[in-house]
Amino acid sequence: MAKTSGTTDGLAIRKAAVIGAGVMGSGIAAQIANAGVPVLLLDIVPKDKEGKPAADRSAIAKGAVEKLLKTDPAPLMLPANAALITPGNIEDDLAKLADVDWIVEAVLENIEIKRSLYQKLEPVRKKGSIVSSNTSTIPLATLIEGGSDSFARDFVITHFFNPPRYMRLLEVVSGPKTNPATVAAIEAFGDRALGKGVVRCKDTPGFIANRIGVYWMQAAVTAALDLGLTVEEADAVMGKPLGIPKTGVFGLLDLTGLDLQPHVDGAMAKALPKGDDYLRIRRDFPLMQKLIADGYTGRKGKGGFYRLLRDEHGGKTLEAIDLKTGQFRPKAEARLESVEAGRQGLRAVVEHPDRGGQYAWKVLSQLLPYTASLVPAIADDIVSVDRAMQMGYAWKWGPFELIDRMGADWFAQRLTAEGKTVPPLLAAAAKAGGFYKIEGGKLLALGTDGKHHPVLRPEGVLLLEDIKRANQPVAANGSASLWDIGDGVVCLEFHSKMNALDDQILGLLKQAIGIVSKKYKALVIYNEAEQFSVGANLGLALFGANIGLWPMIEGLVNEGLATLKALKYAPFPSVAAPAGMALGGGCEIVLHSRAIVAHAESYIGLVEVGVGLIPGWGGANELLERYTLEKGRPGGPMPPVTKAFETISMAKVSRSAAEAREMGILRPGDEIVMNRERLLATAKAHALAMVEGYKPPEAPVFQLPGATGRTAIRLAVDNFVAAGKATPHDRVVAEALADLLTGGKDADIEIKIEEEALRKLAAKGFMNLIHTEPTLARMEHMLETGKPLRN
């Protein structure tokens, strides 16, 4: 991917260094490399068995880079990005910092070690270079104490969350002496190059996300113990009903590591001011201490509050610990009416009389007032707090949004009725009608002055949610909407479940093509859901097959083919802007658009073989065309066919947009955007840049290998079946794909074939497969389990 740099006030980050090659340090280095920026990774010189310096003095950093290439989920968006990381050590390589623009310190949370390192950095670093610490517990003022004024001007805290590639939050803390240009440069680089949601924090213990998150975990664990909930019940309540990831609290502790918790708790308790409410709710948890002592440190150990047992036959049993007895037992499904009540909203949960409702209220009635009492001490505004929890802990709603979902006035009244303190900011929200409100189509947030103020977006950020507040759609149905996003560009948004493609989405795409042709300049296909699209609606297709509605299925296939063909050859430019998964039919829409502007975390692929099908809407043809046009490819008709067959038959999905480019899904002129909040604005700009002089592409004519190529592919498939690496039905699906890519069963020799003929072959192959029982079994299994069936 192209190199990216953040530039502000003349400061640019073109080269970086990370000191400390542990999990966090190496992960930060990996994300900097993902941005295309060279980075030094330094650590101490290790000792050998005799206590002498090891022969390989940079072994720790080198080992960290090797581990990056093996870790799953991958810290690197491409394995090749590891070449941008230069390993070294702090005894021999500090002089290399002379041409580094940003130095990240990620060593042990020990103030003496950090200060000693800073003293070594000062004489070797480039004048004006930025130095930052990834600390999560030590105040900035303590870190720079005793240092020079020039060091203080260039110093900030940049607190990443683990894993750095995937967690969007970057907390930035500056001090009274910090140069504003330093902060601006870090924010710009963190935002545009690293793809982070940058939040400015005050120099207070735990900053924002951990200050609230640690309190939440402590409150949630102690309340579960007090109310006698099981770990399954606690996690069921502290999950989806509250907009928190399904790990809940005990599952999250397992994920982050139980052995980390005592250190975090101790550091927080030591740093917090006397009288802080965290000091009131914290208590010893003997069971957790015993688990840690026994090696149950979470997922990285033998298990934690949950553990997975495997028997000698390969069977698996998931167990959960009994909080009363400390003994493991089979994991049980939580059955609480309060969890089901969550369908009616958060207030229905906390008002429910069962122990789940009591639990939700006990946690929230402590957590949310505590959070409200911390503003403006930890941040200047409530939006920063909500964003920090959304990006740092993956909450769907931040604390102040949670209050609004219950009603600020109702929440304050219930606290008062129970004799609990209502913080001034919460009282102001109750009086003003909530923390957030919409006025004139604009989102406003309550300030510490008791008034609502517009929520401002950074320059270059365009969110569809803001467009939707102020406007009505150009056209809409139950599964999709078309929005005018300004300057003659419209945006097609999917909003079906998981953005699965159905007849309504195809219908609105077809309608959009007609509307844009007459009234607008360009079309962007984009949405702000977690996934761009998981593909065609399998449930609809399976329902039709089970009751014999074959004409309906065939009609959907033909409608998809015709609509995507119309998209490709429309008289205006179209830009697909995927983020998250774009699978199957979702990938086919991306492939048919005339340009792609993809978020860096885009997982794109034609996965139809997993359910016993081949791409039915022309996706295989588009991939074949891309591979045919690749510069420097081997000659002859067979190489593009072989490459397309391998990609589709193996259901390859890119693990990043950069990998999608390597797979040939993204073309050389397509763009990759690191920050998802900048995706729509970049896609719109890309579409507008295509408008002048735009002409639809010419339909390709394919040179295909015919029977010779088909035989070669079938022989390879037969070998896989014989070796037990493919099933008999895999062979059936592979043969259908081979027929399509080589020109059809009737193509006896090398042939030229027009695109339209290949489209008809795709539809025919799809329909033949969906008539088979093994394919229907695969579809049903995928819908029931989310996993492919090998039959």
Side-chain angles (χ1 to χ4, degrees):
M1 59 187 291
K3 292 185 178 181
T4 310
S5 64
T7 306
T8 306
D9 293 338
L11 283 174
I13 296 171
R14 299 183 181 89
K15 188 173 183 180
V18 178
I19 303 179
V23 173
M24 279 300 297
S26 60
I28 294 168
Q31 186 63 1
I32 294 172
N34 288 334
V37 175
V39 55
L40 292 169
L41 180 62
L42 310 181
D43 209 302
I44 62 172
V45 176
K47 301 290 178 65
D48 62 18
K49 293 180 180 179
E50 297 177 357
K52 298 178 181 179
D56 188 346
R57 295 169 63 84
S58 300
I60 294 176
K62 289 179 180 177
V65 175
E66 291 172 3
K67 192 173 182 180
L68 290 174
L69 292 165
K70 300 174 183 176
T71 301
D72 187 25
L76 294 163
M77 293 179 179
L78 279 178
N81 290 347
L84 288 168
I85 306 174
T86 302
N89 68 78
I90 58 177
E91 291 186 21
D92 303 326
D93 300 311
L94 283 184
K96 295 178 180 178
L97 299 177
D99 64 346
V100 164
D101 304 301
W102 176 29
I103 303 167
V104 184
E105 170 267 298
V107 302
L108 294 173
E109 290 289 85
N110 180 303
I111 186 60
E112 298 306 325
I113 293 175
K114 291 178 185 290
R115 284 179 180 167
S116 174
L117 175 62
Y118 299 160
Q119 289 173 5
K120 294 175 183 176
L121 296 180
E122 187 68 345
V124 297
R125 72 184 181 97
K126 181 169 65 176
K127 183 180 179 180
S129 63
I130 300 167
V131 181
S132 72
S133 175
N134 186 56
T135 185
S136 60
T137 60
I138 304 175
L140 183 145
T142 304
L143 291 170
I144 63 172
E145 188 177 332
S148 67
D149 286 345
S150 63
F151 188 83
R153 281 196 298 273
D154 298 334
F155 188 84
V156 292
I157 288 174
T158 51
H159 181 215
F160 289 82
F161 280 67
N162 194 34
R165 171 181 167 183
Y166 300 97
M167 297 304 292
R168 288 190 55 222
L169 179 60
L170 176 61
E171 294 182 319
V172 174
V173 182
S174 59
K177 294 182 179 180
T178 308
N179 183 351
T182 297
V183 180
I186 281 294
E187 288 184 335
F189 187 78
D191 171 352
R192 295 174 181 273
L194 301 182
K196 299 302 172 189
V198 180
V199 174
R200 287 197 187 189
C201 310
K202 302 289 186 68
D203 192 16
T204 57
F207 311 130
I208 297 175
N210 281 347
R211 180 73 173 272
I212 298 165
V214 170
Y215 184 102
W216 164 67
M217 288 190 287
Q218 186 74 235
V221 169
T222 55
L225 292 170
D226 292 344
L227 293 169
L229 273 75
T230 65
V231 292
E232 298 97 326
E233 289 172 337
D235 285 347
V237 175
M238 285 293 131
K240 186 176 180 180
L242 275 64
I244 292 171
K246 63 182 180 180
T247 58
V249 63
F250 290 104
L252 179 62
L253 287 167
D254 278 0
L255 182 63
T256 58
L258 271 63
D259 53 336
L260 178 65
Q261 191 62 21
H263 298 288
V264 172
D265 172 62
M268 190 68 76
K270 183 178 178 181
L272 287 171
K274 186 178 180 180
D276 189 274
D277 199 53
Y278 180 79
L279 303 177
R280 175 187 66 83
I281 68 167
R282 71 185 290 256
R283 70 175 77 160
D284 290 335
F285 191 6
L287 177 58
M288 184 182 291
Q289 295 168 3
K290 184 178 186 303
L291 285 169
I292 295 169
D294 292 343
Y296 286 95
T297 54
R299 295 189 188 181
K300 64 183 178 181
K302 298 187 296 184
F305 293 102
Y306 300 94
R307 71 177 181 183
L308 185 65
L309 297 182
R310 302 174 188 270
D311 61 32
E312 57 186 12
H313 304 294
K316 300 176 183 178
T317 303
L318 183 60
E319 295 188 332
I321 203 162
D322 188 304
L323 294 175
K324 294 178 181 177
T325 67
Q327 302 299 311
F328 282 99
R329 51 164 176 74
K331 182 179 180 291
E333 184 179 351
R335 298 184 182 277
L336 293 168
E337 291 183 1
S338 51
V339 173
E340 294 300 316
R343 299 173 186 270
Q344 282 78 53
L346 180 56
R347 188 160 155 185
V349 178
V350 298
E351 287 186 318
H352 200 282
D354 75 4
R355 62 181 179 274
Q358 295 174 47
Y359 176 57
W361 173 252
K362 184 164 186 176
V363 175
L364 295 182
S365 64
Q366 296 180 97
L367 171 68
L368 300 180
Y370 177 71
T371 303
S373 73
L374 295 176
V375 178
I378 62 172
D380 286 327
D381 56 86
I382 66 168
V383 177
S384 294
V385 175
D386 279 345
R387 280 173 56 80
M389 294 310 295
Q390 288 169 320
M391 295 185 292
Y393 278 75
W395 289 12
K396 186 175 182 179
W397 306 293
F400 297 103
E401 292 174 314
L402 286 172
I403 294 174
D404 275 2
R405 292 185 70 80
M406 292 183 286
D409 184 44
W410 175 88
F411 186 66
Q413 286 184 32
R414 182 166 174 181
L415 290 175
T416 301
E418 294 181 0
K420 295 182 173 71
T421 301
V422 177
L425 188 62
L426 175 55
K431 184 178 180 180
F435 284 101
Y436 294 94
K437 68 178 182 179
I438 298 171
E439 208 170 77
K442 296 185 180 297
L443 179 65
L444 309 179
L446 186 71
T448 53
D449 59 359
K451 299 178 182 178
H452 285 88
H453 305 273
V455 174
L456 302 177
R457 307 295 185 194
E459 183 181 354
V461 170
L462 176 64
L463 298 181
L464 193 57
E465 66 175 84
D466 292 338
I467 299 283
K468 290 160 68 174
R469 285 191 193 97
N471 301 277
Q472 294 296 315
V474 175
N477 59 34
S479 297
S481 299
L482 190 67
W483 300 92
D484 186 331
I485 58 174
D487 302 311
V489 181
V490 290
C491 173
L492 178 65
E493 173 201 24
F494 311 147
H495 44 72
S496 59
K497 185 177 181 181
M498 296 289 285
N499 285 335
L501 304 174
D502 56 20
D503 56 340
Q504 293 195 69
I505 288 177
L506 290 176
L508 195 63
L509 175 55
K510 184 177 181 180
Q511 186 180 352
I513 293 168
I515 291 171
V516 178
S517 298
K518 296 176 181 177
K519 298 182 179 180
Y520 294 92
K521 298 176 181 177
L523 171 69
V524 171
I525 304 175
Y526 160 94
N527 62 73
E528 287 166 2
E530 187 175 350
Q531 314 299 351
F532 177 79
S533 172
V534 296
N537 189 326
L538 275 184
L540 183 64
L542 185 61
F543 171 78
N546 284 336
I547 62 173
L549 286 178
W550 302 112
M552 181 200 77
I553 298 173
E554 189 170 10
L556 190 62
V557 172
N558 290 331
E559 185 67 15
L561 274 170
T563 302
L564 295 193
K565 179 183 177 181
L567 174 67
K568 179 177 180 177
Y569 296 107
F572 55 82
S574 57
V575 176
M581 292 190 290
L583 305 178
C587 177
E588 290 182 293
I589 287 178
V590 170
L591 289 168
H592 280 82
S593 300
R594 297 317 304 145
I596 303 169
V597 176
H599 179 234
E601 298 296 348
S602 292
Y603 315 111
I604 313 174
L606 296 169
V607 296
E608 287 85 351
V609 296
V611 289
L613 297 167
I614 61 172
W617 289 344
N621 313 346
E622 291 301 311
L623 207 56
L624 185 60
E625 182 180 354
R626 279 163 161 77
Y627 293 162
T628 301
L629 297 174
E630 278 184 346
K631 291 184 178 179
R633 74 167 181 85
M638 195 62 188
V641 169
T642 301
K643 188 173 180 180
F645 181 82
E646 288 178 355
T647 300
I648 300 169
S649 66
M650 296 177 68
K652 289 184 179 179
V653 176
S654 70
R655 291 170 293 178
S656 67
E659 191 168 281
R661 190 190 296 283
E662 283 205 336
M663 289 170 60
I665 292 172
L666 270 67
R667 294 155 291 201
D670 293 330
E671 292 187 69
I672 296 173
V673 178
M674 292 293 281
N675 192 327
R676 184 165 181 171
E677 291 187 340
R678 297 185 176 277
L679 183 58
L680 180 56
T682 306
K684 176 184 172 182
H686 195 109
L688 285 170
M690 296 171 67
V691 169
E692 187 174 351
Y694 178 79
K695 292 181 180 178
E698 293 185 6
V701 176
F702 295 93
Q703 182 85 26
L704 299 179
T708 304
R710 190 162 60 253
T711 300
I713 292 174
R714 285 179 173 176
L715 285 172
V717 173
D718 286 342
N719 289 334
F720 274 100
V721 174
K725 296 179 180 180
T727 69
H729 194 60
D730 287 337
R731 177 196 278 125
V732 174
V733 177
E735 288 181 353
L737 179 60
D739 288 344
L740 167 62
L741 294 173
T742 57
K745 290 181 179 180
D746 298 330
D748 292 330
I749 56 174
E750 189 173 307
I751 63 164
K752 287 186 177 181
I753 186 169
E754 293 185 351
E755 180 185 53
E756 185 59 27
L758 275 190
R759 289 177 175 273
K760 291 178 180 178
L761 284 174
K764 183 179 179 182
F766 182 98
M767 290 304 301
N768 286 341
L769 287 169
I770 203 171
H771 273 84
T772 65
E773 287 298 327
T775 284
L776 294 177
R778 287 188 179 191
M779 293 169 64
E780 187 170 359
H781 190 267
M782 178 64 74
L783 286 170
E784 290 180 353
T785 69
K787 299 177 182 179
L789 174 67
R790 299 304 309 278
N791 61 347

